Amino acid sequence: MGLVLYVSPVENIGVDSFKRDVAIMDTTWTVIKLTLWNDFVHVLDENLNHVDVAPIIVACGLHVKSFYGTYLSTGYHTRVYVNPVNEKTTSLSTWYKSKKLAKIRRDWFRSSTFSLKSSIDISNTPRIRLSQFPSVRKVQYCRVVAYACRVDSVDNIIYEACNRCLKKVVIFQGLQKCQSCNLTNTVTIPRLLLRLTIFDKSGNLKVTILHDLAQHLLGCLATEIKSVLQQPNGRNRVMEKVFACFGNRAFSWVLHPPIGDFNPEHSYTVGYVLHVDWAEECMWLNKYIASKKRK
């Protein structure tokens, strides 16, 4: 049983199969994907994404599956009900109406530019402080609210990558060589690699923002950055652009946790960078303070 946050369009799978993905949430704030197959695709309509409601869906006889994360799927013995009236659905509806953040979460899913999988991953990511990062394990991502305090030299923000595999090339006997493709004098394209240090009140961490996300955040292509760096005073102009993006603002950083032992000199990969949802942040702070008082 859960609140319907988002309904995807119907997809045609193969010759005569159809599916629709739905994001549902319960009072634990956990979001999971429910895949509706064939006749079940018609129990919900994507027009629900444009109205100020969050229907309640109740289903039984579902399959628990795993493909890039756990999700639910309908099957032969599945039964699906939308907005049934009973004690539990009334309680869930009352909870939803009393929680402004639940409506914010619903609206975020409906306006998100990410894929449904990415949106669910981000939504379920545990919020931590940077001092807790070294001990995080067994999750795909963790999330911190932090500021950028230092930018590594922009001289290394651009690297040349193989046009075929996008791996960094090396200089071998004066020629550019792709060790992955085993090609010498390969055609290359510029790629972005942005290294920062972020901090909150509990500590700091070195992080790396990879090409696609770096282009999105800076609002320009790697070829443009490379062109600016080749101009007089280009280094300072690129540094100004980076600081204009990150300076004096807190962001929600979604990070891949450490693999193996934590190394403070290692730079950890950023999965997503989001504007801080201060309503959600206040809720987390209240929970964090309450947990400290119980201790």
Side-chain angles (χ1 to χ4, degrees):
M1 179 178 73
L3 293 155
V4 177
L5 302 181
Y6 172 79
V7 181
S8 78
V10 175
E11 294 181 53
N12 190 351
I13 307 297
V15 178
D16 54 1
S17 292
F18 302 89
K19 76 162 189 167
R20 187 197 295 278
D21 292 326
V22 179
I24 60 175
M25 179 181 74
D26 62 10
T27 56
T28 66
W29 301 96
T30 301
V31 182
I32 194 167
K33 182 179 77 173
L34 168 61
T35 298
L36 304 172
W37 286 94
N38 299 325
D39 291 344
F40 292 110
V41 301
H42 303 297
V43 301
L44 292 169
D45 189 290
E46 63 262 34
N47 289 329
L48 287 170
N49 296 329
H50 307 293
V51 296
D52 190 25
V53 295
I56 293 174
I57 189 168
V58 177
C60 58
L62 297 171
H63 298 286
V64 179
K65 297 194 173 183
S66 181
F67 183 74
Y68 291 101
T70 302
Y71 70 99
L72 304 173
S73 178
T74 58
Y76 181 78
H77 297 290
T78 299
R79 298 293 181 267
V80 177
Y81 309 92
V82 178
N83 290 328
V85 179
N86 58 49
E87 184 179 344
K88 290 185 177 180
T89 57
T90 300
S91 175
L92 180 58
S93 179
T94 302
W95 175 85
Y96 170 73
K97 292 175 182 177
S98 68
K99 298 293 184 180
K100 183 179 180 181
L101 183 57
K103 298 180 180 66
I104 293 174
R105 184 71 58 87
R106 176 205 67 190
D107 293 342
W108 183 81
F109 263 86
R110 294 177 179 183
S111 62
S112 175
T113 57
F114 299 113
S115 68
L116 181 58
K117 179 191 178 304
S118 294
S119 296
I120 291 174
D121 288 342
I122 293 169
S123 180
N124 291 335
T125 297
R127 165 75 163 91
I128 64 167
R129 306 181 79 197
L130 280 175
S131 59
Q132 299 170 299
F133 182 80
S135 60
V136 174
R137 295 294 186 276
K138 297 181 179 180
V139 294
Q140 184 178 6
Y141 298 109
C142 56
R143 181 174 63 85
V144 300
V145 172
Y147 293 82
C149 63
R150 186 166 60 248
V151 180
D152 276 12
S153 173
V154 296
D155 295 333
N156 300 319
I157 196 174
I158 292 288
Y159 68 94
E160 294 298 323
C162 172
N163 190 45
R164 295 178 61 182
C165 68
L166 302 182
K167 298 291 181 65
K168 185 176 181 179
V169 299
V170 298
I171 303 300
F172 178 74
Q173 295 181 348
L175 299 174
Q176 293 179 325
K177 180 177 180 180
C178 175
Q179 293 178 317
S180 177
C181 299
N182 197 28
L183 294 175
T184 302
N185 206 21
T186 182
V187 177
T188 65
I189 56 173
R191 304 273 289 178
L192 279 174
L193 192 69
L194 184 57
R195 288 191 169 96
L196 309 169
T197 300
I198 61 174
F199 78 98
D200 65 9
K201 288 185 177 181
S202 71
N204 56 59
L205 181 74
K206 294 180 179 180
V207 298
T208 297
I209 302 175
L210 301 180
H211 176 77
D212 290 337
L213 182 57
Q215 286 193 140
H216 173 72
L217 294 171
L218 295 177
C220 58
L221 301 175
T223 51
E224 297 175 82
I225 295 292
K226 180 180 179 180
S227 177
V228 172
L229 284 172
Q230 293 171 343
Q231 298 172 11
N233 204 33
R235 185 181 182 279
N236 289 338
R237 290 171 59 192
V238 172
M239 188 68 80
E240 288 172 1
K241 191 168 190 64
V242 174
F243 275 108
C245 178
F246 296 105
N248 300 318
R249 281 187 292 173
F251 288 92
S252 188
W253 304 79
V254 180
L255 307 167
H256 292 279
I259 299 175
D261 295 334
F262 172 75
N263 181 356
E265 297 305 314
H266 180 71
S267 187
Y268 290 89
T269 303
V270 177
Y272 308 93
V273 179
L274 309 169
H275 292 291
V276 178
D277 185 330
W278 290 109
E280 186 166 2
E281 184 66 7
C282 287
M283 185 183 76
W284 177 83
L285 287 170
N286 287 333
K287 287 183 178 179
Y288 180 79
I289 293 170
S291 67
K292 288 291 185 182
K293 287 181 178 179
R294 285 195 295 270
K295 294 179 181 179

